[in-house]
Amino acid sequence: MTSALRTENLDTGYDRRIVVAGVVIDIHRGEIVTLIGPNGAGKSTVLKTVAGQLAPLGGTVYINGQEASSYPAAEVSKFRAVMLTERMTSEQMTCSDVVSLGRYPYTGKLGILSDEDKRIVKESMDLVHVSELADRDYHAISDGQRQRVLLARAICQEPQLMILDEPTSYLDIRHKLEFLDLLKSLVTDRNIGVIMSLHELELAHMISDRVICIDAEGRVVMTGTPDEVFSDASISSLYEIDTGRITGLYSSFLKSVSK
């Protein structure tokens, strides 16, 4: 089976400075792979590189078995949807306008939505429960609502691969769970591959098929299933927790994410 996303010895970073080196990723449609690790480890840098926003400093990114750099921009946008943490700049755009951006790889140079495009926009907004926001100013809604609107835009692209950086940021616990439940359904029902980063280890344990651990030095130190990765020893090492001083909340937290 051809991988939706594969990297070979990928080096990522900025201005020729490597942040994370030798990254090996292999994601198939129908599975969720999650990056975890401390703040500043380089998770977002890896995602920006596989999303095409940063050029690799070494190694290769393959999408659907083909080098990512060989795809025309419009073609790769039909295959890959990206939802990163940067604030989107959009003057006087409604939420429906923002979601509609997901159809532009299909509309041609004029960017005119067909009736079918409009149907997909509405269906995507219905799916993530933001239809009531359709005519609202995108910048006049809450952070959590914006997060769901951006997910609707990604769904609207009808991708085979989704790249999500901290997609549950700004969501309360109810909406975090609803978001991830929806994501799991999309992966299963539409056979989408997902690579994302999460800070919430309990949620990563619940939803991931595989987990990639990046430590504070920018090294991939472990890759495996949630049960293989989430142990007291590996989590303590990854987050540099002094096991000799674990008491109270630390102990309860480690037990909650370990097998």
Short mmCIF file of all heavy atoms in Angstrom, two decimals, residues 43-44 46-54 81-88 147 150 153 163-167 170 195 197:
data_model
loop_
_atom_site.label_atom_id
_atom_site.label_comp_id
_atom_site.label_asym_id
_atom_site.label_seq_id
_atom_site.Cartn_x
_atom_site.Cartn_y
_atom_site.Cartn_z
N LYS A 43 8.13 20.15 17.06
CA LYS A 43 6.98 19.46 16.46
C LYS A 43 6.35 20.30 15.34
O LYS A 43 6.08 19.79 14.25
CB LYS A 43 5.93 19.16 17.55
CG LYS A 43 6.43 18.31 18.70
CD LYS A 43 5.34 17.99 19.70
CE LYS A 43 4.77 19.20 20.40
NZ LYS A 43 5.80 19.90 21.26
N SER A 44 6.15 21.59 15.61
CA SER A 44 5.56 22.47 14.60
C SER A 44 6.47 22.61 13.39
O SER A 44 6.00 22.70 12.25
CB SER A 44 5.26 23.85 15.19
OG SER A 44 4.26 23.77 16.19
N VAL A 46 8.50 20.33 12.19
CA VAL A 46 8.33 19.12 11.39
C VAL A 46 7.05 19.22 10.56
O VAL A 46 7.04 18.93 9.35
CB VAL A 46 8.28 17.87 12.30
CG1 VAL A 46 7.87 16.63 11.49
CG2 VAL A 46 9.63 17.64 12.97
N LEU A 47 5.96 19.65 11.19
CA LEU A 47 4.68 19.73 10.48
C LEU A 47 4.72 20.76 9.36
O LEU A 47 4.19 20.54 8.28
CB LEU A 47 3.55 20.03 11.46
CG LEU A 47 3.24 18.92 12.47
CD1 LEU A 47 2.14 19.35 13.43
CD2 LEU A 47 2.84 17.62 11.77
N LYS A 48 5.37 21.90 9.61
CA LYS A 48 5.48 22.92 8.56
C LYS A 48 6.30 22.40 7.38
O LYS A 48 6.03 22.76 6.22
CB LYS A 48 6.13 24.18 9.12
CG LYS A 48 5.23 24.99 10.04
CD LYS A 48 5.99 26.19 10.59
CE LYS A 48 5.13 26.97 11.56
NZ LYS A 48 5.87 28.11 12.16
N THR A 49 7.26 21.56 7.66
CA THR A 49 8.10 21.01 6.58
C THR A 49 7.32 20.00 5.75
O THR A 49 7.35 20.06 4.51
CB THR A 49 9.38 20.38 7.16
OG1 THR A 49 10.06 21.35 7.96
CG2 THR A 49 10.30 19.91 6.05
N VAL A 50 6.61 19.09 6.39
CA VAL A 50 5.84 18.11 5.61
C VAL A 50 4.64 18.77 4.94
O VAL A 50 4.11 18.25 3.96
CB VAL A 50 5.41 16.89 6.46
CG1 VAL A 50 6.61 16.15 7.00
CG2 VAL A 50 4.46 17.30 7.59
N ALA A 51 4.24 19.96 5.46
CA ALA A 51 3.15 20.70 4.84
C ALA A 51 3.62 21.57 3.67
O ALA A 51 2.81 22.20 2.99
CB ALA A 51 2.46 21.58 5.88
N GLY A 52 4.94 21.63 3.47
CA GLY A 52 5.47 22.40 2.36
C GLY A 52 5.69 23.87 2.66
O GLY A 52 6.05 24.65 1.77
N GLN A 53 5.52 24.29 3.92
CA GLN A 53 5.73 25.69 4.27
C GLN A 53 7.19 26.00 4.56
O GLN A 53 7.60 27.16 4.52
CB GLN A 53 4.86 26.07 5.46
CG GLN A 53 3.37 25.98 5.15
CD GLN A 53 2.50 26.56 6.25
OE1 GLN A 53 3.01 27.04 7.26
NE2 GLN A 53 1.20 26.53 6.06
N LEU A 54 7.96 24.97 4.88
CA LEU A 54 9.40 25.10 5.05
C LEU A 54 10.08 24.08 4.14
O LEU A 54 9.62 22.95 4.01
CB LEU A 54 9.82 24.82 6.50
CG LEU A 54 9.44 25.83 7.57
CD1 LEU A 54 9.81 25.29 8.95
CD2 LEU A 54 10.11 27.17 7.32
N ALA A 81 -4.53 18.67 3.19
CA ALA A 81 -5.10 19.84 3.87
C ALA A 81 -4.27 20.14 5.10
O ALA A 81 -3.82 19.23 5.80
CB ALA A 81 -6.55 19.58 4.25
N VAL A 82 -4.07 21.43 5.35
CA VAL A 82 -3.17 21.86 6.42
C VAL A 82 -3.91 22.79 7.39
O VAL A 82 -4.60 23.71 6.97
CB VAL A 82 -1.95 22.60 5.84
CG1 VAL A 82 -1.02 23.07 6.95
CG2 VAL A 82 -1.19 21.69 4.85
N MET A 83 -3.74 22.53 8.68
CA MET A 83 -4.34 23.39 9.71
C MET A 83 -3.28 23.62 10.78
O MET A 83 -3.05 22.78 11.64
CB MET A 83 -5.58 22.70 10.31
CG MET A 83 -6.29 23.48 11.38
SD MET A 83 -7.77 22.57 11.91
CE MET A 83 -8.06 23.36 13.50
N LEU A 84 -2.60 24.78 10.68
CA LEU A 84 -1.53 25.09 11.60
C LEU A 84 -1.97 26.15 12.60
O LEU A 84 -3.10 26.64 12.55
CB LEU A 84 -0.28 25.55 10.83
CG LEU A 84 0.27 24.52 9.82
CD1 LEU A 84 1.50 25.06 9.12
CD2 LEU A 84 0.60 23.21 10.52
N THR A 85 -1.08 26.52 13.52
CA THR A 85 -1.48 27.35 14.65
C THR A 85 -1.43 28.84 14.36
O THR A 85 -1.96 29.63 15.14
CB THR A 85 -0.58 27.07 15.87
OG1 THR A 85 0.79 27.23 15.48
CG2 THR A 85 -0.80 25.68 16.39
N GLU A 86 -0.80 29.26 13.27
CA GLU A 86 -0.71 30.69 12.99
C GLU A 86 -2.10 31.29 12.79
O GLU A 86 -3.00 30.66 12.24
CB GLU A 86 0.12 30.96 11.73
CG GLU A 86 1.59 30.81 11.92
CD GLU A 86 2.06 29.39 11.80
OE1 GLU A 86 1.19 28.52 11.62
OE2 GLU A 86 3.27 29.14 11.88
N ARG A 87 -2.23 32.53 13.25
CA ARG A 87 -3.48 33.25 13.04
C ARG A 87 -3.68 33.53 11.56
O ARG A 87 -2.76 33.98 10.87
CB ARG A 87 -3.47 34.57 13.80
CG ARG A 87 -3.37 34.40 15.30
CD ARG A 87 -4.63 33.82 15.85
NE ARG A 87 -4.61 33.81 17.31
CZ ARG A 87 -5.56 33.29 18.04
NH1 ARG A 87 -6.59 32.71 17.47
NH2 ARG A 87 -5.50 33.31 19.35
N MET A 88 -4.87 33.27 11.08
CA MET A 88 -5.17 33.54 9.67
C MET A 88 -5.53 35.01 9.51
O MET A 88 -6.30 35.56 10.28
CB MET A 88 -6.35 32.65 9.25
CG MET A 88 -6.76 32.84 7.81
SD MET A 88 -8.10 31.72 7.40
CE MET A 88 -8.50 32.32 5.76
N GLN A 147 -11.33 27.60 15.46
CA GLN A 147 -10.67 26.31 15.28
C GLN A 147 -11.57 25.35 14.51
O GLN A 147 -11.12 24.63 13.61
CB GLN A 147 -10.31 25.74 16.66
CG GLN A 147 -9.17 24.76 16.66
CD GLN A 147 -7.82 25.43 16.57
OE1 GLN A 147 -7.70 26.57 16.11
NE2 GLN A 147 -6.78 24.73 16.97
N LEU A 150 -11.82 26.36 10.81
CA LEU A 150 -10.63 25.94 10.06
C LEU A 150 -10.66 24.44 9.77
O LEU A 150 -10.18 24.00 8.72
CB LEU A 150 -9.36 26.31 10.83
CG LEU A 150 -9.08 27.82 10.94
CD1 LEU A 150 -7.84 28.07 11.78
CD2 LEU A 150 -8.94 28.46 9.56
N ARG A 153 -12.84 24.06 6.83
CA ARG A 153 -12.11 24.40 5.60
C ARG A 153 -11.24 23.24 5.14
O ARG A 153 -11.18 22.91 3.95
CB ARG A 153 -11.23 25.63 5.84
CG ARG A 153 -10.52 26.11 4.59
CD ARG A 153 -9.49 27.17 4.90
NE ARG A 153 -8.38 26.65 5.70
CZ ARG A 153 -7.32 27.35 6.06
NH1 ARG A 153 -7.22 28.63 5.69
NH2 ARG A 153 -6.36 26.82 6.77
N ILE A 163 -2.86 17.57 7.93
CA ILE A 163 -1.73 17.94 8.79
C ILE A 163 -2.24 18.99 9.77
O ILE A 163 -2.63 20.10 9.37
CB ILE A 163 -0.57 18.49 7.94
CG1 ILE A 163 -0.10 17.45 6.93
CG2 ILE A 163 0.59 18.92 8.84
CD1 ILE A 163 0.87 17.98 5.89
N LEU A 164 -2.25 18.65 11.06
CA LEU A 164 -2.88 19.49 12.07
C LEU A 164 -1.89 19.79 13.19
O LEU A 164 -1.34 18.87 13.80
CB LEU A 164 -4.11 18.79 12.66
CG LEU A 164 -5.11 18.17 11.68
CD1 LEU A 164 -6.19 17.41 12.44
CD2 LEU A 164 -5.73 19.23 10.80
N ASP A 165 -1.68 21.06 13.48
CA ASP A 165 -0.78 21.47 14.56
C ASP A 165 -1.62 21.94 15.75
O ASP A 165 -2.29 22.97 15.66
CB ASP A 165 0.15 22.58 14.07
CG ASP A 165 1.28 22.86 15.05
OD1 ASP A 165 1.47 22.06 15.99
OD2 ASP A 165 1.96 23.88 14.88
N GLU A 166 -1.57 21.20 16.84
CA GLU A 166 -2.32 21.53 18.05
C GLU A 166 -3.79 21.86 17.73
O GLU A 166 -4.28 22.94 18.07
CB GLU A 166 -1.67 22.71 18.78
CG GLU A 166 -0.28 22.42 19.30
CD GLU A 166 -0.27 21.34 20.37
OE1 GLU A 166 -1.31 21.10 21.00
OE2 GLU A 166 0.79 20.73 20.57
N PRO A 167 -4.52 20.95 17.09
CA PRO A 167 -5.88 21.27 16.66
C PRO A 167 -6.88 21.47 17.80
O PRO A 167 -7.96 22.02 17.59
CB PRO A 167 -6.27 20.06 15.81
CG PRO A 167 -5.46 18.94 16.36
CD PRO A 167 -4.14 19.57 16.73
N TYR A 170 -7.39 26.03 22.36
CA TYR A 170 -8.49 26.97 22.55
C TYR A 170 -9.85 26.29 22.77
O TYR A 170 -10.86 26.97 22.94
CB TYR A 170 -8.63 27.95 21.36
CG TYR A 170 -7.35 28.60 20.96
CD1 TYR A 170 -6.79 28.37 19.71
CD2 TYR A 170 -6.67 29.45 21.84
CE1 TYR A 170 -5.59 28.97 19.33
CE2 TYR A 170 -5.47 30.05 21.47
CZ TYR A 170 -4.94 29.80 20.22
OH TYR A 170 -3.76 30.39 19.86
N ILE A 195 -1.61 13.40 10.37
CA ILE A 195 -0.45 13.62 11.24
C ILE A 195 -0.70 14.91 11.98
O ILE A 195 -1.09 15.92 11.37
CB ILE A 195 0.89 13.65 10.47
CG1 ILE A 195 2.04 13.86 11.47
CG2 ILE A 195 0.91 14.68 9.36
CD1 ILE A 195 3.42 13.67 10.88
N SER A 197 0.10 17.27 15.97
CA SER A 197 0.77 17.39 17.26
C SER A 197 -0.29 17.64 18.33
O SER A 197 -1.32 18.25 18.06
CB SER A 197 1.78 18.54 17.24
OG SER A 197 1.12 19.78 16.99
#
